[in-house]
Amino acid sequence: RRNKIEMSLAAKRQEPEYTEDPDKAPTTSWSDGKYGGRTSETTGLVAILQMITEDVEKEMSAARKDDAEAQAQYEKEDAAMKATLDEQLALKLAKEKELNDIKGRVQDKEEFKESKESDLSAETELKDSIYTDCKWVKTHFESRRDKRKAEMDGLVEAKSYLAGVEAGTEV
């Protein structure tokens, strides 16, 4: 009864009351408009079907509302996810560019280092060749100094000889 469904179907069926003879059924005429049938027995069933229809319509309305809310939430979250994806792609591109810049700088530094190592190698070879070429100076310096001193003394003596010849005096 809380759901307001008539309980006429569930109620005990009452036996009809006979006014004339209890063993004889009443005469009915289907042709006159007085007979309406047993309408009291069908009103409960119709009411139940109407309530079921109303409940289904309410559920469908609620489901449509829930679907609309869910769709709106989906679209909101989808937009947020797309924005996040766009941000992450932009960040990825920026990081890749930064990585390429760093790789370029590393390559430049490596080329500079190789150039400097090449220069060092050339300088080392030059130093070794100069050392080899000049090493003989250390071993022959004393004898060359003595020979150079003797040469200088000879030149000074020749100069003084020639100076005396120019002055008109012979030595």
Side-chain angles (χ1 to χ4, degrees), residues 64-100:
R64 283 187 191 111
K65 181 182 174 188
D66 290 344
D67 284 347
E69 290 174 0
Q71 183 66 27
Q73 182 68 24
Y74 167 78
E75 289 172 359
K76 179 182 171 186
E77 290 176 2
D78 185 49
M81 292 297 277
K82 285 180 181 176
T84 301
L85 179 64
D86 290 342
E87 290 172 2
Q88 289 177 348
L89 288 174
L91 179 63
K92 179 185 175 200
L93 290 175
K95 292 299 179 181
E96 286 176 349
K97 182 181 178 190
E98 184 179 343
L99 178 64
N100 287 334

Side-chain angles (χ1 to χ4, degrees), residues 15-26:
E15 292 294 323
E17 292 181 23
Y18 298 105
T19 54
E20 295 176 6
D21 185 9
D23 291 331
K24 186 178 175 187

Side-chain angles (χ1 to χ4, degrees), residues 75-142:
E75 289 172 359
K76 179 182 171 186
E77 290 176 2
D78 185 49
M81 292 297 277
K82 285 180 181 176
T84 301
L85 179 64
D86 290 342
E87 290 172 2
Q88 289 177 348
L89 288 174
L91 179 63
K92 179 185 175 200
L93 290 175
K95 292 299 179 181
E96 286 176 349
K97 182 181 178 190
E98 184 179 343
L99 178 64
N100 287 334
D101 290 345
I102 290 172
K103 283 182 179 179
R105 286 188 292 196
V106 167
Q107 185 176 0
D108 290 344
K109 293 290 182 180
E110 287 176 353
E111 289 172 359
F112 179 75
K113 180 183 173 189
E114 289 174 6
S115 171
K116 289 299 179 179
E117 287 175 350
S118 175
D119 289 349
L120 177 63
S121 174
E123 289 293 324
T124 304
E125 287 178 16
L126 178 64
K127 179 183 136 195
D128 290 345
S129 69
I130 290 174
Y131 180 75
T132 304
D133 289 344
C134 297
K135 187 177 181 183
W136 65 270
V137 173
K138 186 176 183 182
T139 57
H140 297 87
F141 182 75
E142 292 294 323

Side-chain angles (χ1 to χ4, degrees), residues 147-169:
K147 289 178 185 175
R148 180 71 177 156
K149 188 171 181 176
E151 182 183 1
M152 293 286 284
D153 288 342
L155 287 173
V156 169
E157 183 179 319
K159 182 179 169 186
S160 56
Y161 173 75
L162 289 174
V165 167
E166 285 182 15
T169 58

Side-chain angles (χ1 to χ4, degrees), residues 17-57:
E17 292 181 23
Y18 298 105
T19 54
E20 295 176 6
D21 185 9
D23 291 331
K24 186 178 175 187
T27 59
T28 56
S29 170
W30 303 101
S31 59
D32 65 356
K34 293 181 182 176
Y35 181 75
R38 292 188 174 183
T39 58
S40 63
E41 290 181 5
T42 61
T43 56
L45 187 58
V46 171
I48 290 173
L49 290 175
Q50 285 176 341
M51 286 179 37
I52 290 173
T53 304
E54 289 173 3
D55 287 344
V56 169
E57 287 174 355

